[in-house]
Amino acid sequence: MRLVLDEFIEGAIRPGFTPFYIYKIIVNTVQVGTLVFRLGSDEEHRYDGHIAYTIDEIHRGHHYAYEACLLLRKEIRQAGYDHVLITCDPDNIASKKTIARLGAEYVETLPVPSTQRKFFTPQEHDKEIYIWRMHS
């Protein structure tokens, strides 16, 4: 597996957005999903997290999101972070398994505030927040 930088969004594409990287997750020669690494503070990413991943449905069940996050660790450290936040919906079992496999610690579950609602789908009401520490 490897991560291929697809795009770096430098400035705010709209108010409230920090710079972020979008990576293709490649297994052999096939793109199986994407991984996003958002720069910014814990407060700025309390609800959306520093990391987001999506694995295409036909490629799920192989721990690709977990492996991609491990590959991203080097870039996280190089960006100066000793930890990042990862969030998920309370009913997203697959994401929760990935987060647990990473050894991230549960922090809290919070409702998405009205000021942040425009950045989420109508179905996203609450977010579980985890901290993933960059141990050596």
Side-chain angles (χ1 to χ4, degrees), residues 38-136:
R38 300 178 184 103
L39 302 178
S41 69
D42 289 358
E43 192 55 40
E44 289 170 309
H45 294 293
R46 173 81 48 213
Y47 301 97
D48 62 350
H50 291 99
I51 295 176
Y53 39 78
T54 304
I55 303 299
D56 298 337
E57 192 169 345
I58 63 169
H59 299 293
R60 292 180 185 164
H62 301 282
H63 308 295
Y64 292 148
Y66 166 75
E67 291 178 32
C69 287
L70 293 181
L71 289 175
L72 186 65
R73 235 184 342 202
K74 178 180 173 187
E75 282 75 18
I76 294 169
R77 288 185 184 125
Q78 286 178 340
Y81 292 87
D82 63 357
H83 72 273
V84 290
L85 297 181
I86 304 175
T87 69
C88 70
D89 292 341
D91 61 350
N92 189 336
I93 303 304
S95 188
K96 289 167 84 164
K97 287 180 179 180
T98 297
I99 292 167
R101 184 177 281 261
L102 289 169
E105 305 162 30
Y106 173 78
V107 177
E108 62 188 331
T109 301
L110 292 174
V112 175
S114 59
T115 57
Q116 298 284 315
R117 295 286 318 138
K118 61 187 171 196
F119 303 119
F120 297 92
T121 67
Q123 297 77 26
E124 295 177 286
H125 298 286
D126 298 310
K127 291 292 177 179
E128 289 186 3
I129 301 159
Y130 296 83
I131 187 169
W132 183 33
R133 299 183 193 284
M134 300 293 109
H135 303 295
S136 53

